[in-house]
mmCIF file of all heavy atoms in Angstrom:
data_model
loop_
_atom_site.group_PDB
_atom_site.id
_atom_site.type_symbol
_atom_site.label_atom_id
_atom_site.label_comp_id
_atom_site.label_asym_id
_atom_site.label_seq_id
_atom_site.Cartn_x
_atom_site.Cartn_y
_atom_site.Cartn_z
ATOM 1 N N THR A 127 24.947 26.440 -14.397
ATOM 2 C CA THR A 127 25.540 27.633 -13.805
ATOM 3 C C THR A 127 26.501 27.222 -12.703
ATOM 4 O O THR A 127 26.309 26.190 -12.054
ATOM 5 C CB THR A 127 24.470 28.586 -13.235
ATOM 6 O OG1 THR A 127 25.126 29.733 -12.701
ATOM 7 C CG2 THR A 127 23.638 27.935 -12.152
ATOM 8 N N SER A 128 27.518 28.004 -12.501
ATOM 9 C CA SER A 128 28.439 27.768 -11.381
ATOM 10 C C SER A 128 28.321 28.900 -10.367
ATOM 11 O O SER A 128 29.095 28.988 -9.438
ATOM 12 C CB SER A 128 29.877 27.668 -11.896
ATOM 13 O OG SER A 128 30.205 28.843 -12.604
ATOM 14 N N ALA A 129 27.310 29.766 -10.542
ATOM 15 C CA ALA A 129 27.163 30.942 -9.695
ATOM 16 C C ALA A 129 26.382 30.675 -8.415
ATOM 17 O O ALA A 129 26.323 31.525 -7.545
ATOM 18 C CB ALA A 129 26.475 32.060 -10.482
ATOM 19 N N ILE A 130 25.771 29.499 -8.286
ATOM 20 C CA ILE A 130 24.965 29.195 -7.107
ATOM 21 C C ILE A 130 25.611 28.020 -6.380
ATOM 22 O O ILE A 130 25.890 26.988 -6.966
ATOM 23 C CB ILE A 130 23.517 28.820 -7.508
ATOM 24 C CG1 ILE A 130 22.882 29.934 -8.332
ATOM 25 C CG2 ILE A 130 22.684 28.533 -6.279
ATOM 26 C CD1 ILE A 130 21.529 29.569 -8.918
ATOM 27 N N SER A 131 25.821 28.199 -5.076
ATOM 28 C CA SER A 131 26.405 27.106 -4.289
ATOM 29 C C SER A 131 25.293 26.207 -3.748
ATOM 30 O O SER A 131 24.128 26.593 -3.718
ATOM 31 C CB SER A 131 27.222 27.687 -3.130
ATOM 32 O OG SER A 131 26.394 28.473 -2.294
ATOM 33 N N ASP A 132 25.655 25.038 -3.301
ATOM 34 C CA ASP A 132 24.730 24.079 -2.671
ATOM 35 C C ASP A 132 23.554 23.713 -3.567
ATOM 36 O O ASP A 132 22.407 23.666 -3.109
ATOM 37 C CB ASP A 132 24.197 24.624 -1.333
ATOM 38 C CG ASP A 132 25.301 24.871 -0.327
ATOM 39 O OD1 ASP A 132 26.284 24.112 -0.362
ATOM 40 O OD2 ASP A 132 25.170 25.799 0.474
ATOM 41 N N LEU A 133 23.809 23.462 -4.826
ATOM 42 C CA LEU A 133 22.727 23.063 -5.726
ATOM 43 C C LEU A 133 22.377 21.596 -5.529
ATOM 44 O O LEU A 133 23.261 20.757 -5.350
ATOM 45 C CB LEU A 133 23.119 23.301 -7.187
ATOM 46 C CG LEU A 133 23.106 24.743 -7.649
ATOM 47 C CD1 LEU A 133 23.662 24.846 -9.063
ATOM 48 C CD2 LEU A 133 21.709 25.315 -7.602
ATOM 49 N N GLU A 134 21.095 21.301 -5.584
ATOM 50 C CA GLU A 134 20.619 19.927 -5.479
ATOM 51 C C GLU A 134 21.175 19.098 -6.636
ATOM 52 O O GLU A 134 21.613 17.977 -6.476
ATOM 53 C CB GLU A 134 19.091 19.936 -5.508
ATOM 54 C CG GLU A 134 18.456 18.579 -5.398
ATOM 55 C CD GLU A 134 16.945 18.677 -5.478
ATOM 56 O OE1 GLU A 134 16.366 19.621 -4.911
ATOM 57 O OE2 GLU A 134 16.351 17.814 -6.137
ATOM 58 N N LEU A 135 21.134 19.689 -7.839
ATOM 59 C CA LEU A 135 21.708 19.055 -9.023
ATOM 60 C C LEU A 135 23.026 19.760 -9.292
ATOM 61 O O LEU A 135 23.036 20.936 -9.613
ATOM 62 C CB LEU A 135 20.775 19.231 -10.224
ATOM 63 C CG LEU A 135 19.345 18.753 -10.029
ATOM 64 C CD1 LEU A 135 18.447 19.301 -11.120
ATOM 65 C CD2 LEU A 135 19.307 17.250 -10.026
ATOM 66 N N ASN A 136 24.110 19.082 -9.175
ATOM 67 C CA ASN A 136 25.421 19.699 -9.251
ATOM 68 C C ASN A 136 25.594 20.564 -10.500
ATOM 69 O O ASN A 136 25.647 20.050 -11.611
ATOM 70 C CB ASN A 136 26.496 18.612 -9.191
ATOM 71 C CG ASN A 136 27.874 19.198 -9.003
ATOM 72 O OD1 ASN A 136 28.027 20.340 -8.582
ATOM 73 N ND2 ASN A 136 28.874 18.419 -9.309
ATOM 74 N N GLY A 137 25.693 21.881 -10.310
ATOM 75 C CA GLY A 137 25.936 22.814 -11.407
ATOM 76 C C GLY A 137 24.747 23.093 -12.302
ATOM 77 O O GLY A 137 24.893 23.712 -13.339
ATOM 78 N N LYS A 138 23.536 22.646 -11.904
ATOM 79 C CA LYS A 138 22.355 22.835 -12.754
ATOM 80 C C LYS A 138 21.185 23.376 -11.927
ATOM 81 O O LYS A 138 21.046 23.032 -10.752
ATOM 82 C CB LYS A 138 21.912 21.514 -13.381
ATOM 83 C CG LYS A 138 22.908 20.882 -14.304
ATOM 84 C CD LYS A 138 22.337 19.642 -14.947
ATOM 85 C CE LYS A 138 22.831 18.423 -14.204
ATOM 86 N NZ LYS A 138 22.451 17.174 -14.852
#
Side-chain angles (χ1 to χ4, degrees):
T127 181
S128 57
I130 304 172
S131 60
D132 299 327
L133 285 174
E134 180 182 321
L135 305 165
N136 191 19
K138 297 184 261 187

